[in-house]
Amino acid sequence: RVLSTGAILEDLDEDDLRGLAARVKASNASSVAVCLLFSYLNPAHEKTVGELFRDSSLHVSLSHEIVPEFREYERTSTTVINAYVSPKVKDYIAHLRDSLEAHDSLRIMQSNGGGISAETAMREAVRTILSGPAGGAVGALEMGKLTGCDRLISFDMGGTSTDVSLIDGGLTITLESSVSGYPLKTPMIDIHTVGAGGGSIACVDRGGSLKVGPQSAGADPGPVCYGRGAEITVTDANLYLGRLVPEHFLGGHMQLAVERLDEAMGRLADQIGLSKLELAEGILAVANTTMERAIRVISVERGYDPREFTLFAFGGAGGMHAAYLARCLDIRRVMIPPNPGILSAIGMLMADIVKDYSLTVMLAAGEIDWTGLQALFRPLERRGIE
């Protein structure tokens, strides 16, 4: 109904819209994504549809608010993902905000390395999808600068996954990311994630080979040595090989169930035909190979030589695997911050407030001039200042 010029060809039929809203409401949906053709040029129809659905008490995501740009597929995909995650994020942030004292302030980390208001994050939750790893990348950059080193490969190994990012004097931002194969058109720090962490489960695949991850034991039940888990993890392998000191785990505040390891390791070792020692070493070798491959994706495959960078390791398990990975990649220096387990949180505190604005402009090459381009930027600049 809206043309590629932004002109309205045909008005909306509000009776049809009311019937549509009733059908969506009857489906028990809690959230709806609205994506109309050329709404980035003229959002009038999308706004009308949005108001109608909001009257039906549904959470509404409008594509011209989430990604006001051309490319319908990417705009729709991003808006649908926003509709999927926003109700949960909204409830979580609302609960968090209600727990604050009157003098407290709340800012939410975005995937692009900057903070936004709680209200914006509740409405546009798709911007927070990689907020935790983004905090880690910001923290790595700022810590690196303090030491005079701004060429880093950040290596964040936690319980479930490992996140890596290449920092060459600054954060690398991408507009071509995806989640589970669905494109995301919002600006994000270029972070590559693999399913290898301290809690990654070791098992035997259908071909009889050792497999580690991407399934994770999580915090509950956790690794075998935490006292409740039944499946061997990377953390268990590190403990079995003496790379973790049980008396000092979590600063000595958590007792590890070392006595449970032998039997659990034995069961899996018998299944694959290895000794328990070989199994533990094999688990770490598989996990390390997965993480090495991730680092090569963001460096070698993009024309960077990892030998020219410092490996900045953090996360709960990063320091335990950093030296091995550095040796594999010929990286000469590894940096580990004093409190690696909370670096992502520290990075969030160091982050600036960042707001992204975009506008799609269709011009023939002969129509482009410097003065005209400046005029097109001014409305975006005004919005940012406001």
Side-chain angles (χ1 to χ4, degrees), residues 134-300:
V138 172
L141 173 62
E142 296 300 328
M143 289 284 192
K145 284 179 179 177
L146 292 174
T147 67
C149 181
D150 62 358
R151 301 196 81 198
L152 306 166
I153 292 173
S154 70
F155 169 62
D156 177 6
M157 183 179 178
T160 303
S161 63
T162 292
D163 306 299
V164 295
S165 183
L166 188 134
I167 299 169
D168 190 9
L171 300 172
T172 305
I173 303 294
T174 179
L175 288 166
E176 297 182 351
S177 53
S178 64
V179 172
S180 294
Y182 296 98
L184 275 176
K185 200 72 169 62
T186 54
M188 303 172 75
I189 296 176
D190 192 5
I191 295 170
H192 186 61
T193 301
V194 290
S200 294
I201 294 170
C203 63
V204 181
D205 67 15
R206 286 185 293 182
S209 298
L210 179 62
K211 182 182 177 186
V212 180
Q215 289 78 19
S216 174
D220 186 11
V224 171
C225 63
Y226 281 16
R228 292 192 301 273
E231 296 180 281
I232 291 291
T233 66
V234 172
T235 297
D236 293 313
N238 274 316
L239 178 61
Y240 191 81
L241 292 172
R243 294 160 58 102
L244 279 171
V245 182
E247 293 79 17
H248 295 289
F249 194 78
L250 204 61
H253 296 290
M254 180 174 175
Q255 185 68 40
L256 292 181
V258 181
E259 69 283 352
R260 300 184 76 230
L261 266 187
D262 206 58
E263 182 185 347
M265 292 290 286
R267 283 198 305 270
L268 187 57
D270 291 343
Q271 191 178 346
I272 201 169
L274 296 172
S275 70
K276 288 178 281 190
L277 189 63
E278 288 171 331
L279 172 64
E281 289 178 336
I283 290 169
L284 297 189
V286 173
N288 285 331
T289 300
T290 300
M291 294 184 287
E292 179 191 349
R293 193 160 53 241
I295 293 173
R296 289 188 183 277
V297 166
I298 61 159
S299 57
V300 178

Side-chain angles (χ1 to χ4, degrees), residues 11 25 79 87 137 140 187 230 251 269 275 296 340 363 365:
D11 289 327
K25 185 76 173 172
T79 307
S275 70
R296 289 188 183 277
L363 290 172

